[in-house]
Amino acid sequence: MSIEDDVRAPAHVLVVGASASGLTTVETLRRKGYEGRITVLGDEPHPPYDRPPLSKQVLSGAWEPERAALRTQDLLSALDAEFVLGDPAVALDPATRSVRTRSGRELPADAVVIATGVRARRLPGSQDLAGVHVLRTLDDALALRTELLAGARLVVVGEGVLGSEIAATARTLGLDVTLAGPLSAPMALQVGPLVSGALAELHTERGVRLRLGNAVVGLTDRDGRVTGVRLAGDEVLPADAVVVAIGATPATEWLADSGLELDNGVVCDSRCRAGEGIYAVGDVARWHHESLGRLVRLENRTNATEQAMAVAGQILGDDRPYAPVPYFWTDQYDAKLQVHGFLPPEAEVDVVEGDLTARRFVARYRVDGRVTGVLGWNMPKQARLRRQEIVDGLDTPAPTH
């Protein structure tokens, strides 16, 4: 008996978002034997592509844009799915599980998977200024690369993962680069003071000017083009081009009238269900993580894949909670960082392997004696081997105070 004969399997699955998570949902359904109809709706005209290379290989020119594609056209065709691209979703009716698109299409389905990701935040008043960029899409990366090839003085606003990667890539290309943001060091919020301090030293050695610990309050311009970044205290950082990398917001505006719970993403149960026959995956999903006992939303490539695989299983009748140990990575210059688990700001951090000064080490993060995360700097295997400590920590009841 095929999966299609199982009464639990919907006849038609609609995936809203032609992203890594959306594509993985489709591939997993087919791999598990689903033979029903699948439609994939995407707001961009491009077939599914990978986002992590945008700030590195694509921006640097090491890759042609086509190399970021997740699958060849032949492999996409083999999925026997209808891809409707360049036509964003504008509304969802949960009662009929029907999605309306900007062009007026009505797409009813038996199961809907929301995979619309996030949108880059922008500085107020920056949308119409020439020379101001964000980096979320392939077109964003190509537009920014054109600017960088002109040899612009670049100011990156935002010291998180993306801002730090863009600064590293631009500096490697030989540009004059300044990294600005309110926190004290690159990726301070993501990795804590020990590792972010080492990143600050690395960027400084490579020639990036760090203007951190000071809020960006606006931009300066002349004749419709950006000329600088204004900091609190009225200092202006001169710029020919500016990249705004101050985070992202879940792309849920099209769901405003749907009745689904929207709060920093599409709120889901532990099975990633947002409603009857409606699921969410990837950056847009905020679901109940049973091991943590709270809602979690993750913006990383690994979760996009793992959560999509879990949701495909749910659609086909699995009934198990999605409770992953998160994983993300970042490459900056010759530094390759791998992060497993959670690195909360209150964690105690100690180096358990390698040498911090040699920039080859594993750091362990603990809260109340439990290991919540590990970070490897140019020690990927050693960091991965310590992942079990995080699993053990999640399985241990938190101490009562």
Side-chain angles (χ1 to χ4, degrees):
M1 183 178 71
S2 73
I3 293 277
E4 192 178 27
D5 297 324
D6 190 321
V7 295
R8 294 174 299 188
H12 179 200
V13 177
L14 171 61
V15 179
V16 186
S19 55
S21 57
L23 178 61
T24 301
T25 304
V26 176
E27 291 180 327
T28 307
L29 286 170
R30 292 303 193 213
R31 190 167 61 248
K32 286 178 173 288
Y34 179 67
E35 298 174 0
R37 181 183 170 200
I38 300 176
T39 302
V40 181
L41 180 64
D43 64 343
E44 295 182 62
H46 309 292
Y49 60 85
D50 213 7
R51 296 191 192 277
L54 298 184
S55 58
K56 299 180 280 288
Q57 294 94 333
V58 173
L59 186 60
S60 71
W63 286 13
E64 291 298 317
E66 296 76 19
R67 191 169 170 186
L70 284 166
R71 301 291 180 267
T72 65
Q73 189 55 55
D74 286 346
L75 288 174
L76 291 179
S77 298
L79 292 171
D80 190 25
E82 180 186 7
F83 284 82
V84 180
L85 302 176
D87 194 7
V90 297
L92 166 68
D93 180 351
T96 60
R97 290 183 285 278
S98 179
V99 171
R100 188 171 77 253
T101 74
R102 180 182 292 168
S103 72
R105 284 187 178 94
E106 290 284 346
L107 300 172
D110 302 292
V112 175
V113 179
I114 299 168
T116 45
V118 294
R119 300 195 192 288
R121 287 196 183 100
R122 297 176 182 268
L123 289 173
S126 67
Q127 287 88 334
D128 298 326
L129 280 183
V132 180
H133 299 261
V134 294
L135 181 48
R136 174 66 189 170
T137 68
L138 179 59
D139 291 341
D140 290 340
L142 297 179
L144 177 58
R145 175 162 169 74
T146 298
E147 197 93 60
L148 299 187
L149 289 175
R153 288 175 301 174
L154 180 70
V155 175
V156 181
V157 178
E159 72 294 277
V161 178
L162 180 61
S164 299
E165 289 181 349
I166 293 169
T169 299
R171 186 66 198 126
T172 301
L173 291 172
L175 273 79
D176 179 305
V177 181
T178 301
L179 181 61
L183 298 183
S184 60
M187 290 178 54
L189 188 64
Q190 289 80 21
V191 299
L194 183 75
V195 177
S196 66
L199 280 169
E201 292 176 1
L202 175 63
H203 278 273
T204 300
E205 287 172 10
R206 296 302 180 101
V208 174
R209 280 189 295 274
L210 301 182
R211 294 297 288 110
L212 301 175
N214 203 349
V216 171
V217 297
L219 303 174
T220 60
D221 66 279
R222 183 184 303 115
D223 299 328
R225 183 171 184 89
V226 71
T227 58
V229 173
R230 189 180 302 279
L231 305 179
D234 249 12
E235 179 186 359
V236 174
L237 305 174
D240 302 309
V242 173
V243 182
V244 179
I246 55 174
T249 54
T252 58
E253 60 281 350
W254 66 284
L255 298 167
D257 297 323
S258 68
L260 298 182
E261 186 178 355
L262 306 175
D263 181 9
N264 184 28
V266 178
V267 177
C268 302
D269 64 13
S270 62
R271 272 68 175 169
C272 307
R273 287 184 301 240
E276 185 65 33
I278 300 173
Y279 305 83
V281 295
D283 297 0
V284 76
R286 188 166 178 239
W287 85 101
H288 180 75
H289 193 300
E290 286 196 356
S291 296
L292 297 173
R294 60 180 173 85
L295 291 172
V296 172
R297 186 173 71 82
L298 299 176
E299 291 182 24
N300 65 62
R301 180 65 174 81
T302 306
N303 180 68
T305 300
E306 293 180 348
Q307 193 166 30
M309 293 170 67
V311 162
Q314 294 289 340
I315 290 172
L316 300 179
D318 288 350
D319 184 24
R320 64 187 73 172
Y322 178 60
V325 173
Y327 168 76
F328 77 88
W329 74 92
T330 178
D331 297 341
Q332 298 170 39
Y333 312 108
D334 56 358
K336 297 182 180 298
L337 278 63
Q338 288 86 21
V339 176
H340 301 265
F342 300 88
L343 313 184
E346 71 275 16
E348 299 176 20
V349 185
D350 58 332
V351 173
V352 292
E353 293 189 54
D355 184 354
L356 181 68
T357 58
R359 293 182 183 147
R360 188 173 183 274
F361 63 90
V362 176
R364 180 175 60 191
Y365 292 68
R366 291 182 293 177
V367 176
D368 293 327
R370 295 188 302 172
V371 177
T372 64
V374 294
L375 179 150
W377 184 313
N378 289 343
M379 294 187 80
K381 179 181 178 182
Q382 293 87 340
R384 187 173 62 251
L385 289 174
R386 289 183 174 268
R387 182 181 179 277
Q388 186 58 41
E389 297 179 41
I390 305 167
V391 176
D392 295 342
L394 288 173
D395 291 340
T396 303
T400 56
H401 296 284

